[in-house]
Amino acid sequence: ANLNYAMDAMSSRQWALVGAALCMRLMFVQDISVISQWSFIGVLASGLYLLTISAGGVEAAAIHPSPTKTWPNTYSNLLADFAVMVYAYSPCDVLPVLKHDMKEPKHLHQALRLSFFTVVFIYVSLGSVAFLGWGNHVAGNVLLSMCDPPGCPGNLPAKVDVPGKKWLLGYCLAGAVVSNLMVTAPVVLYCVFRVLENEHTVVTHPLVNGVLRVATVSIAVLIALFLPHFTEILAVISTGLLTLLQVFVPVAVTLALRGFGFRVFLLSVLGTGMLTAGMSSALRNLYTVIAES
């Protein structure tokens, strides 16, 4: 969607394939010190998120009426949506590898605190500004709200074919998102293949390693693009399997090492809600889209 916003000569699906092909070389980086040098790109991109969406929200406030309703129609989807966010942002699956390869692993705890505080501040601020600016008209991808009326391609009202002019802020945001993803994907894949290389010596062979990296990225991209109802299926997986891995496994480890505490209690309640109410909502949403297709 970000590349499609910048250059709409191709569809979002086609741009996703092109983007994956262009970034494939980054997936072969095997030196964490090289990847760490790119961290400033993610920092700059996050700052650009804050700047562009805030400015866009202020501009949109002059176009759209103020929000008349500030609470959701139902809360049943919140836990399922939160599970998808945990799947996307939780670092539990990459922390062991990163800590093992850090030059000064004793600083990991401090780095996590600072990064989480920064992320929470940025995303809460962005969500608040976006809602106050666009109100109930804000698109699921805020980038698709950054156009003059009647709206952006892919987010037009019914029976409207001609989109509005795209904003310069939207182009800046699209570039920031793409830049951020280009430095995030190598980190995730670095951790995946470090584990595989330690467990299976055959993976260290250059040919096997190269084929496996290309196949992993290609298959993941193709599944995301061509699997029907991928978002709804991802929500089911997130609320089921990943809640166990990302919430209950850390809780169990903390119980074994430090015993029961208030944080353990809060995480246990949250995980239980995600696994029950969240799973119920995710399954209901999946059933609805399948029935409508």
Side-chain angles (χ1 to χ4, degrees):
N2 298 286
L3 289 173
N4 182 245
Y5 183 97
M7 294 174 285
D8 53 9
M10 296 188 293
S11 67
S12 296
R13 180 175 293 179
Q14 292 170 328
W15 270 120
L17 294 172
V18 171
L22 293 176
C23 296
M24 191 67 71
R25 180 65 185 88
L26 297 174
M27 308 310 165
F28 287 85
V29 178
Q30 301 182 35
D31 187 351
I32 190 63
S33 63
V34 174
I35 298 176
S36 65
Q37 293 174 5
W38 301 344
S39 59
F40 76 95
I41 298 177
V43 174
L44 292 177
S46 298
L48 201 55
Y49 290 176
L50 188 61
L51 176 63
T52 54
I53 296 179
S54 298
V58 172
E59 185 173 347
I63 301 174
H64 299 289
S66 300
T68 57
K69 186 175 183 180
T70 57
W71 299 103
N73 294 324
T74 175
Y75 295 92
S76 61
N77 290 332
L78 289 180
L79 288 173
D81 294 340
F82 181 73
V84 175
M85 294 181 66
V86 169
Y87 162 74
Y89 292 104
S90 177
C92 293
D93 53 338
V94 299
L95 283 182
V97 174
L98 291 179
K99 184 175 182 180
H100 179 270
D101 292 349
M102 285 179 66
K103 183 178 181 180
E104 299 182 44
K106 62 181 180 180
H107 295 311
L108 178 62
H109 188 72
Q110 180 182 357
L112 284 175
R113 285 180 176 273
L114 179 61
S115 61
F116 270 100
F117 175 80
T118 304
V119 168
V120 168
F121 170 76
I122 289 176
Y123 279 90
V124 170
S125 300
L126 293 182
S128 301
V129 171
F131 181 74
L132 292 174
W134 284 278
N136 300 323
H137 300 282
V138 67
N141 180 353
V142 70
L143 185 64
L144 298 182
S145 294
M146 292 189 167
C147 294
D148 291 337
C152 293
N155 190 42
L156 293 172
K159 299 181 179 180
V160 176
D161 298 323
V162 181
K165 181 182 178 181
K166 297 176 182 178
W167 296 355
L168 177 60
L169 291 170
Y171 288 103
C172 295
L173 178 60
V177 173
V178 173
S179 300
N180 199 17
L181 291 176
M182 289 178 64
V183 298
T184 302
V187 174
V188 177
L189 288 178
Y190 170 84
C191 296
V192 171
F193 287 105
R194 281 283 284 119
V195 173
L196 289 175
E197 289 164 1
N198 289 336
E199 295 292 331
H200 307 283
T201 55
V202 67
V203 180
T204 60
H205 188 280
L207 178 60
V208 175
N209 191 281
V211 171
L212 190 58
R213 287 173 182 268
V214 173
T216 300
V217 175
S218 301
I219 293 173
V221 171
L222 292 175
I223 289 175
L225 291 179
F226 296 102
L227 180 67
H229 319 305
F230 173 75
T231 303
E232 289 75 19
I233 293 174
L234 180 61
V236 173
I237 295 174
S238 300
T239 52
L241 175 63
L242 293 170
T243 298
L244 296 175
L245 296 177
Q246 302 276 23
V247 178
F248 285 113
V249 169
V251 164
V253 172
T254 303
L255 277 173
L257 295 177
R258 298 185 179 180
F260 188 80
F262 183 66
R263 294 180 182 179
V264 171
F265 170 74
L266 286 181
L267 282 176
S268 300
V269 172
L270 176 62
T272 302
M274 291 167 60
L275 200 58
T276 53
M279 177 61 77
S280 174
S281 173
L283 289 173
R284 184 170 58 252
N285 292 340
L286 178 60
Y287 173 80
T288 299
V289 297
I290 291 175
E292 293 176 350
S293 61

